[in-house]
Amino acid sequence: MPDDEQGFSLARSLSFLQENLRRAGPAAAASYALVGAVLLLGGLGYALDAWQGTTPWFLLAGLLLGVVVGLYELAKVVWRS
Amino acid sequence: MFQPHGAETAAHGGEHAAEAAHEGFNAGETIIEHVSNSPIDHPLIHLPTLVGIDFSVTKHVLMLWLVAAFVFATVTWIVRRHLAAGRPVPSGAMNGLEFVVEFVRDSIVLPNVGKKWVHAWTPLMLTFFVFILCANAIGLIPVFDVLGLLNHWVIHPDHESFLGSVTHGGTTATANFNVTAALATITFGSIIVAGTRAHGFIQHWKNLVPHGLAWPIYILLIPIEIMGLFVKPFALTMRLAANMTGGHIAILAILSFVFLFTEMFGQAAAGIGVGLAVSVPLAVGISALEIIVVLVQAYVFTLLTAVFIGMAIHVHH
C-alpha cells in the first residue's frame, strides 16, 4: 500500500486548501472591513454633503474616518495573531 | 439576461433592437433594465399596503420565495427519503447533502467558532450557505428566459399579466442590495447574540474594546468600535450584491456589442460577425467564471459570518 504522503492526492490537497482558507478567514474579514469602512463612511459623508450643501467637507471627513476605522479593524486582526 | 446561451440573449435583445430601431440602441438602458428589480408600479402580484409598506411582489421577491421554497422542499425531501429508507449509510442525494453539511461544519464553523459552540451556530451557517448558493445559482440558470422564449411563440401572454411579467426574465435575488442587507442584518444580530450567550450581555459590550488602557484612548476607541460594528455587515452586503450584479453587467455589456456594431455599420452581418467572433466566446467564458463566483461568494459570506461570530466568542486581549 503506497502511503499518502507522496504524489498527488485529492484528499490531501483539499485538506491543505481547507487549512489555508481557515487561516485566511480573519485576513479576508479585515480586508473587506477596510474597504467597507471607507465606502460606508465616505458614502455617509457624501450624502450629508448633498443634503447640507457643504461639499466637500463631510465627504473628506467621512473618507478619513473610514480609513481610520478600517485600519483599526485591520490592526485588531494583526494584534490577535 | 445573464444566461450562458448567447442565442437566446440575441433573440431577447433582438426584440429590443427592433423596438428601438428608430431611436437607436441604448446599451446602458437595456443593461440596467435587465439587472434592476421590476418597478413597484407594475408588480407581479398586487398585495395590499399595510402600515405604509407596499407588500406587492416584484421580480426579486418572487425569485427569493422560489429559492426559499426550492431549498426547503429539496432538503426536506432528501432527508425524509433517507430516514424512510432506514439505512445507516447515506446514498445518492443524501450523500451530497451530508458532504455539504460536513464541509460547512468542519471547515467553516468549527475552526472559527470553536468546539463548544459549533453545534449552536452550524444550523445558521448552513442556512446561509445553502440559501445564498441556491439564490446565486438559480440566477445563473435561465429558467424564465427559456419559458419566455417558448411563450413568445406559443401562448402570447399579455405584457402586463403575471405570466407575461414573469416570463420576461428571471433575476438573481442576491444581486439586490436589500436582500443582502437583510442577510447581513441577521449576521449583525447573531454577532450580538453569540457574544451575549458566551459572556453575558454587559460583558459582551465591554469585550468590544480592549481594557486596561488610559481613559483618553477610550474616547477615541469607543466611537471607532461602534462604527466598526456597522462596517462589518455593510461590507458583507456590498460584496455579495456587487459581485452578483457585476458579472451580469459584464456579460450584458459584451453581448450588447452585437447590436452596437449592427447599428454602427448599418447591417446585421457586422453585428453577427462580432457576436460570433468576440461576444459569444467571451460571454461563455465569463459565465464559466460566474459559476466559480457563485460558489466563492456563498462560501465567503458564510466564512466571514463565522469569523465575526468567532471574534465575539473568543476575545483575546
Side-chain angles (χ1 to χ4, degrees), chain B residues 109-233:
Chain B
V109 185
L110 187 63
N112 289 305
V113 173
K115 252 193 190 127
K116 193 180 166 195
W117 296 97
V118 63
H119 291 297
W121 292 106
T122 302
L124 179 72
M125 296 298 136
L126 261 173
T127 314
F128 270 147
F129 184 74
V130 177
F131 177 76
I132 294 173
L133 185 63
C134 285
N136 290 352
I138 287 176
L140 208 59
I141 302 169
V143 190
F144 290 111
D145 306 84
V146 175
L147 286 178
L149 209 63
L150 286 177
N151 247 347
H152 193 64
W153 289 316
V154 184
I155 308 177
H156 305 290
D158 181 15
H159 210 71
E160 292 291 311
S161 72
F162 174 70
L163 204 63
S165 321
V166 165
T167 50
H168 188 60
T171 50
T172 314
T174 39
N176 188 320
F177 286 96
N178 300 302
V179 174
T180 50
L183 290 171
T185 309
I186 300 174
T187 301
F188 180 77
S190 55
I191 294 170
I192 295 171
V193 171
T196 307
R197 280 180 68 178
H199 303 288
F201 189 73
I202 307 288
Q203 188 60 35
H204 166 66
W205 295 103
K206 277 190 187 167
N207 280 339
L208 283 180
V209 283
H211 50 78
L213 299 173
W215 65 266
I217 297 176
Y218 283 118
I219 300 176
L220 278 174
L221 272 189
I222 290 171
I224 290 179
E225 277 290 352
I226 290 171
M227 280 184 264
L229 217 61
F230 290 100
V231 160
K232 289 173 194 167

Side-chain angles (χ1 to χ4, degrees), chain B:
Chain B
M1 288 312 295
F2 37 79
Q3 70 274 60
H5 307 296
E8 242 161 61
T9 313
H12 258 288
E15 288 168 31
H16 284 285
E19 277 166 25
H22 14 266
E23 66 220 37
F25 173 70
N26 188 339
E29 223 166 68
T30 314
I31 291 172
I32 292 301
E33 187 203 323
H34 275 284
V35 291
S36 57
N37 202 348
S38 59
I40 191 77
D41 321 328
H42 297 284
L44 302 188
I45 305 167
H46 277 285
L47 288 180
T49 302
L50 292 178
V51 225
I53 304 167
D54 191 353
F55 277 90
S56 295
V57 175
T58 56
K59 210 157 68 172
H60 281 146
V61 178
L62 185 79
M63 288 304 282
L64 201 64
W65 284 0
L66 282 180
V67 171
F70 172 78
V71 171
F72 179 75
T74 316
V75 173
T76 317
W77 177 66
I78 291 172
V79 173
R80 287 239 169 133
R81 206 183 52 161
H82 172 65
L83 290 178
R87 275 176 305 191
V89 182
S91 63
M94 187 67 193
N95 229 334
L97 192 63
E98 280 200 3
F99 172 76
V100 173
V101 172
E102 276 188 4
F103 170 76
V104 171
R105 190 192 62 194
D106 294 344
S107 86
I108 297 178
V109 185
L110 187 63
N112 289 305
V113 173
K115 252 193 190 127
K116 193 180 166 195
W117 296 97
V118 63
H119 291 297
W121 292 106
T122 302
L124 179 72
M125 296 298 136
L126 261 173
T127 314
F128 270 147
F129 184 74
V130 177
F131 177 76
I132 294 173
L133 185 63
C134 285
N136 290 352
I138 287 176
L140 208 59
I141 302 169
V143 190
F144 290 111
D145 306 84
V146 175
L147 286 178
L149 209 63
L150 286 177
N151 247 347
H152 193 64
W153 289 316
V154 184
I155 308 177
H156 305 290
D158 181 15
H159 210 71
E160 292 291 311
S161 72
F162 174 70
L163 204 63
S165 321
V166 165
T167 50
H168 188 60
T171 50
T172 314
T174 39
N176 188 320
F177 286 96
N178 300 302
V179 174
T180 50
L183 290 171
T185 309
I186 300 174
T187 301
F188 180 77
S190 55
I191 294 170
I192 295 171
V193 171
T196 307
R197 280 180 68 178
H199 303 288
F201 189 73
I202 307 288
Q203 188 60 35
H204 166 66
W205 295 103
K206 277 190 187 167
N207 280 339
L208 283 180
V209 283
H211 50 78
L213 299 173
W215 65 266
I217 297 176
Y218 283 118
I219 300 176
L220 278 174
L221 272 189
I222 290 171
I224 290 179
E225 277 290 352
I226 290 171
M227 280 184 264
L229 217 61
F230 290 100
V231 160
K232 289 173 194 167
F234 177 77
L236 283 180
T237 307
M238 293 311 254
R239 208 207 60 259
L240 181 56
N243 266 298
M244 296 325 293
T245 315
H248 298 166
I249 291 181
I251 292 175
L252 288 167
I254 286 168
L255 285 174
S256 69
F257 284 166
V258 176
F259 310 111
L260 289 175
F261 272 80
T262 305
E263 213 172 69
M264 208 152 99
F265 291 99
Q267 47 190 342
I272 294 171
V274 169
L276 286 179
V278 182
S279 292
V280 174
L282 263 177
V284 170
I286 292 183
S287 300
L289 202 67
E290 280 286 283
I291 297 173
I292 303 173
V293 171
V294 157
L295 280 166
V296 168
Q297 291 312 317
Y299 176 79
V300 168
F301 194 100
T302 321
L303 178 73
L304 290 185
T305 306
V307 168
F308 294 148
I309 289 177
M311 278 180 172
I313 292 174
H314 306 288
V315 187
H316 303 292
H317 293 301

